[in-house]
Amino acid sequence: MEKQMKLNQWRAFALVSMVLLSAVAVGQQRNSADIDVQFKAASQKEIRDGDLKGAIAAYQKILNNARANRDEKAKALLEIGRLYEKLGSADAQKAYDRVVKEFSSQLEAVAEARERLEVLGVARSPGIPTAQLVTTGDDADSGAFISPDGRFLSRPHWLTGDLAVRDMSTGKTARLFAKAGAWESDEEIDTALISPNGKRIAFLFRTEEGKHQLRVMPNEPGAHASVLVDSREDTAWPVAWSPDSRSILVTVESHDQTWRLAWIPASGGDIKPLQSLGWRLRTSPSLSPDGRYIAYSALATNPSKALSGYVSPAPPDSADQYIYLIAADGSRLTELVKGNSTNESPVWTPDGRHILFVSNRSGQFTLWSVAVTDGKPETGSLSPVMADAGRISPIGMTQAGSYYYVKDSTPRSASGERIYPFDLFTAKLDASGKIQGRATRILDSFVDSNKDPALSPDGKSLAFLRRRPGNDSNVFDQIVVRSVAGGEEHVYNRNAPAAPVMWFHDGASLLILPGGRRRLFRLDLKTGEFTALENLAQSTPPFQIRSLAISANDDIVYMALQNPMDRIGSIVSLNLKTGEQKQIWTLKSTGYIDDIALSPDGRTLAMISGSHLLQIGVDGTGYRDLQPFAYEGMLAWSPSGEYLFFLGANQDGAGQLMRWNAKTGKSDPTGLPITQVRHPLAVGPDGVTLIFSDITDSTELWRIDNLSTALRGNAR
């Protein structure tokens, strides 16, 4: 199921973003200065020359400039819209619309564009529902729920396996501490709903022993939770609270993956079965505001085998899906919406007169509505509401009539697999170790993905992995070495995907670890030849290699290994000249050593294991536990050895890039948030400029406030 896949992705990978290097910063500053000159020239066209059309043309050049970043392009579009307003041209609306649609991640620019559209009367045009971007990132979760009063959004806290609540008025998300710690244990929380009175939260809790528990706790950090269901066989997913907050509607998934609807008293008691659905249930049901009816989406006929969980859309080639309506006591069942199409994700409007749902009945996925009276559809009331909605995932509708949904902007392959686009970014720390401003995209012209940057010892070259357009999965099979100063690239093709690369200190070759993580290669950058290191060292590294570090003289490679038999991690050194291997350190029990990084003086290895930041001497002595709540992903020393960068969490569990001070032994947050996927971190020669790769497309949380006019037109 999609949420479980996302959870596994977090546990397997967890990452922070943002990075750079001083030499790259010089190039970026030069590009930024060039763009500033263009902005000034455009402004002079308007102010000094009074040439509005010439100013528009000048801003258009910025928009077309491949070196301009997305912030600068969005700003240029805003200026174009403003100038068209002065000219009284309808093209002003087109410019603002482009800001909203093409630069949705530039939240400040989007907010300004929407404000201008409202002034122009566009956003409030009668009968035209308007979508507004709320946020991107972790809170844009298809497994989240919006509270009835619109104050809170509840969701799993994927970084720690805990429960998170976002205050919609402030935009701040806090961990609720329904569990202690992070991933030291296998405890995890999934699907959380806030009660109509806002006082309690119902959520699914998975224990270390493999039990699935439905729990209820007060909406307060660290409050005691009551267990309503405790089972190894069945999973009770909460989907709605009754209007009086006394009962919880659940979908119960049995061990054979069949589904049934049921009620559970919020104060505890027996499950009250409502309806068995076999393998037909597809998306989360919705309870009417008065608590009398339940709308749900299900396949018209029961399939011959179990499909993926209901939280994922049905496969494109599946049977038709209908919207059904069942009385809350199970006494009456109605086929509300049917046809040769997919009809899914029903949501009741606050007045209980309409049900919104997503359907491809018109040929493409659109937001539709149907009017309902006394549990039956009104004749002729079926109508499209918003044609360009796409296949969205609603997370609820507030009492005030705001419809919230999640849009996944991540492209997919023909088979439905997510293809995450990445690119390279830079950022810089100030004197206090905090990130200055926003990250800047280094490469804004490549059409697919670049990731996993590694900086050469002299700071003049940047090596990274590239995925070519057309690849159907996350296969990065090109190694690119790019000149920092001039931008020239040398591309080295591999027949198989590569893991992140590392520079040998000679600056003439790279250490290559193929995707299988069992063999090491050296890439000669001059000849382009890949040489297996066992040919040099007469030895093949055993087991699976999880992370690597290279000594300053290039003689020794340190490897974090994983024994596939006993699953006990260890650190082994490999002498490339003699082939000799030495066991440096081994975990005392089952576990992984996820990352290692050699200190600049070559004396100690930092590592991540068991959600802790650890340190060990290269001779196997001097073991130290430096920091709890550390995660696999970015682990890198500053060139001076004064600081160690790692993924960690602050006191409220919010994950971000941390900086450990070797002199004080203390860790401080840099302000860089963690995104979804593990990547290396490169630190510039000055120790404060960073370079990293990050996802360029992600999920987005949207809101529609003005559906009432369109829905009144559908009522009979």
Side-chain angles (χ1 to χ4, degrees):
M1 124 175 3
E2 186 173 338
K3 286 189 284 186
Q4 188 64 39
M5 289 173 64
K6 186 174 182 181
L7 173 61
N8 291 339
Q9 193 176 35
W10 267 107
R11 297 181 64 184
F13 301 111
L15 135 100
V16 193
S17 38
M18 310 209 166
V19 209
L20 169 49
L21 69 116
S22 60
V24 174
V26 172
Q28 290 301 317
Q29 289 169 1
R30 184 181 301 115
N31 292 343
S32 183
D34 292 343
I35 303 300
D36 286 343
V37 170
Q38 288 186 276
F39 270 109
K40 289 178 181 178
S43 179
Q44 287 177 355
K45 281 278 186 184
E46 175 190 2
I47 298 173
R48 186 186 64 189
D49 304 334
D51 183 3
L52 300 187
K53 292 184 178 179
I56 290 174
Y59 285 120
Q60 187 66 44
K61 288 182 179 179
I62 298 174
L63 193 61
N64 297 334
N65 192 333
R67 293 188 174 186
N69 61 39
R70 293 183 66 79
D71 276 339
E72 291 162 340
K73 290 182 178 182
K75 180 181 176 182
L77 258 181
L78 287 173
E79 292 297 323
I80 290 172
R82 181 182 60 80
L83 291 169
Y84 274 130
E85 277 194 71
K86 281 190 172 185
L87 291 171
S89 171
D91 287 334
Q93 176 186 334
K94 295 179 181 179
Y96 294 139
D97 280 337
R98 285 189 64 187
V99 175
V100 173
K101 294 177 180 179
E102 298 178 21
F103 298 90
S104 59
S105 59
Q106 279 35 65
L107 299 183
E108 294 179 6
V110 168
E112 185 174 344
R114 290 194 182 282
E115 182 178 340
R116 296 312 305 161
L117 287 170
E118 288 191 15
V119 171
L120 293 173
V122 175
R124 296 178 180 175
S125 298
I128 302 177
T130 303
Q132 301 181 45
L133 179 65
V134 178
T135 189
T136 60
D138 298 345
D139 287 332
D141 190 326
S142 60
F145 284 86
I146 193 75
S147 64
D149 59 9
R151 291 182 57 199
F152 301 107
L153 177 143
S154 55
R155 65 169 178 84
H157 190 265
W158 297 109
L159 178 64
T160 61
D162 196 8
L163 176 62
V165 174
R166 175 187 173 98
D167 187 322
M168 300 302 289
S169 62
T170 65
K172 295 182 178 179
T173 300
R175 186 179 166 189
L176 217 60
F177 291 98
K179 60 166 281 189
W183 290 113
E184 298 90 340
S185 70
D186 289 332
E187 295 178 339
E188 61 192 53
I189 289 170
D190 199 348
T191 308
L193 284 77
I194 297 178
S195 63
N197 59 20
K199 295 182 178 181
R200 291 184 290 175
I201 298 182
F203 58 92
L204 176 64
F205 187 93
R206 305 178 197 272
T207 70
E208 285 193 280
E209 297 77 24
K211 291 186 176 181
H212 304 204
Q213 298 180 341
L214 178 64
R215 294 186 176 187
V216 172
M217 68 176 284
N219 187 10
E220 301 171 0
H224 173 73
S226 301
V227 178
L228 305 184
V229 177
D230 186 15
S231 174
R232 289 185 182 273
E233 299 296 322
D234 295 339
T235 305
W237 300 83
V239 294
W241 286 80
S242 62
D244 60 7
S245 298
R246 294 183 178 179
S247 300
I248 301 170
L249 178 66
V250 297
T251 53
V252 181
E253 182 183 12
S254 299
H255 67 280
D256 61 357
Q257 295 182 274
T258 57
W259 295 89
R260 63 185 187 273
L261 290 173
W263 285 100
I264 296 177
S267 58
D270 296 334
I271 296 178
K272 300 177 181 178
L274 184 63
Q275 185 189 23
S276 295
L277 294 169
W279 292 315
R280 296 170 51 223
L281 188 65
R282 298 306 305 155
T283 53
S284 183
S286 178
L287 181 66
S288 63
D290 60 9
R292 296 176 58 198
Y293 298 100
I294 301 164
Y296 65 89
S297 171
L299 298 174
T301 57
N302 199 36
S304 59
K305 62 180 181 179
L307 301 174
S308 59
Y310 73 75
V311 296
S312 300
D317 59 349
S318 68
D320 301 326
Q321 287 177 240
Y322 293 176
I323 303 293
Y324 295 88
L325 207 63
I326 187 172
D329 61 2
S331 60
R332 187 172 64 180
L333 178 66
T334 302
E335 291 180 346
L336 192 69
V337 178
K338 53 186 180 180
N340 298 323
S341 55
T342 296
N343 306 282
E344 62 188 9
S345 304
V347 174
W348 288 86
T349 58
D351 59 8
R353 297 182 58 192
H354 293 83
I355 290 177
L356 300 171
F357 63 97
V358 179
S359 176
N360 65 349
R361 60 194 309 107
S362 62
Q364 60 182 3
F365 280 100
T366 297
L367 184 63
W368 286 70
S369 75
V370 59
V372 180
T373 300
D374 193 27
K376 296 181 180 179
E378 294 185 9
T379 303
S381 67
L382 194 63
S383 177
V385 176
M386 193 168 71
D388 60 349
R391 199 170 194 179
I392 59 178
S393 300
I395 63 170
M397 196 166 188
T398 67
Q399 295 163 344
S402 294
Y403 176 84
Y404 285 83
Y405 64 93
V406 170
K407 181 190 298 184
D408 188 356
S409 60
T410 304
R412 293 175 182 264
S413 67
S415 63
E417 178 188 9
R418 277 188 171 86
I419 302 178
Y420 290 103
F422 297 91
D423 217 332
L424 305 180
F425 294 82
T426 67
K428 191 169 186 176
L429 303 175
D430 61 21
S432 66
K434 304 294 183 183
I435 290 298
Q436 299 181 26
R438 297 182 179 180
T440 302
R441 196 169 181 173
I442 298 176
L443 304 173
D444 202 18
S445 57
F446 189 71
V447 296
D448 204 312
S449 291
N450 306 291
K451 69 168 188 149
D452 297 348
L455 181 63
S456 64
D458 60 9
K460 295 181 179 181
S461 299
L462 187 66
F464 54 91
L465 302 182
R466 173 170 287 171
R467 180 179 60 206
R468 289 175 288 184
N471 277 6
D472 240 7
S473 63
N474 293 323
V475 174
F476 290 75
D477 55 2
Q478 285 188 335
I479 299 167
V480 181
V481 177
R482 177 184 174 91
S483 167
V484 170
E488 300 87 4
E489 293 185 354
H490 294 277
V491 178
Y492 306 87
N493 292 299
R494 289 282 300 164
N495 294 326
V501 302
M502 297 188 70
W503 285 86
F504 280 99
H505 292 81
D506 62 9
S509 55
L510 296 175
L511 180 64
I512 307 298
L513 177 62
R517 293 180 176 269
R518 294 185 182 276
R519 301 179 68 191
L520 295 176
F521 289 82
R522 184 196 297 266
L523 168 60
D524 187 308
L525 298 180
K526 185 176 182 179
T527 65
E529 182 180 358
F530 291 86
T531 304
L533 286 184
E534 56 263 35
N535 293 343
L536 300 176
Q538 304 301 317
S539 174
T540 300
F543 314 136
Q544 186 182 57
I545 306 170
R546 297 183 63 86
S547 186
L548 295 166
I550 306 174
S551 65
N553 60 7
D554 290 339
D555 286 347
I556 296 175
V557 173
Y558 297 95
M559 304 175 292
L561 304 180
Q562 188 68 30
N563 187 325
M565 301 300 293
D566 59 21
R567 295 183 297 165
I568 295 179
S570 62
I571 297 178
V572 172
S573 66
L574 169 65
N575 189 307
L576 297 181
K577 291 185 175 180
T578 66
E580 180 185 9
Q581 295 186 37
K582 290 184 179 180
Q583 193 89 0
I584 294 177
W585 191 75
T586 303
L587 292 174
K588 295 181 179 179
S589 59
T590 300
Y592 296 95
I593 300 174
D594 297 303
D595 299 282
I596 58 174
L598 183 64
S599 61
D601 62 11
R603 296 178 180 178
T604 60
L605 285 161
M607 57 183 160
I608 302 293
S609 181
S611 298
H612 280 250
L613 176 64
L614 308 172
Q615 190 179 61
I616 191 77
V618 293
D619 60 357
T621 64
Y623 170 82
R624 294 174 62 194
D625 189 336
L626 304 180
Q627 171 81 37
F629 305 118
Y631 309 103
E632 61 173 308
M634 295 178 173
L635 184 62
W637 289 91
S638 64
S640 66
E642 183 178 359
Y643 297 105
L644 179 64
F645 294 91
F646 67 99
L647 300 187
N650 54 24
Q651 291 183 349
D652 66 0
Q656 59 182 293
L657 182 65
M658 306 288 287
R659 191 177 73 164
W660 178 78
N661 189 317
K663 293 181 179 179
T664 65
K666 295 182 179 180
S667 300
D668 294 306
T670 65
L672 279 177
I674 294 177
T675 51
Q676 287 185 336
V677 188
R678 169 187 175 179
H679 294 290
L681 171 68
V683 183
D686 60 3
V688 295
T689 51
L690 313 169
I691 185 165
F692 74 103
S693 51
D694 198 5
I695 296 174
T696 54
D697 283 348
S698 63
T699 53
E700 302 167 339
L701 177 62
W702 290 75
R703 183 185 75 221
I704 305 176
D705 292 326
N706 54 343
L707 284 172
S708 56
T709 302
L711 294 178
R712 279 199 298 271
N714 296 341
R716 298 287 186 230

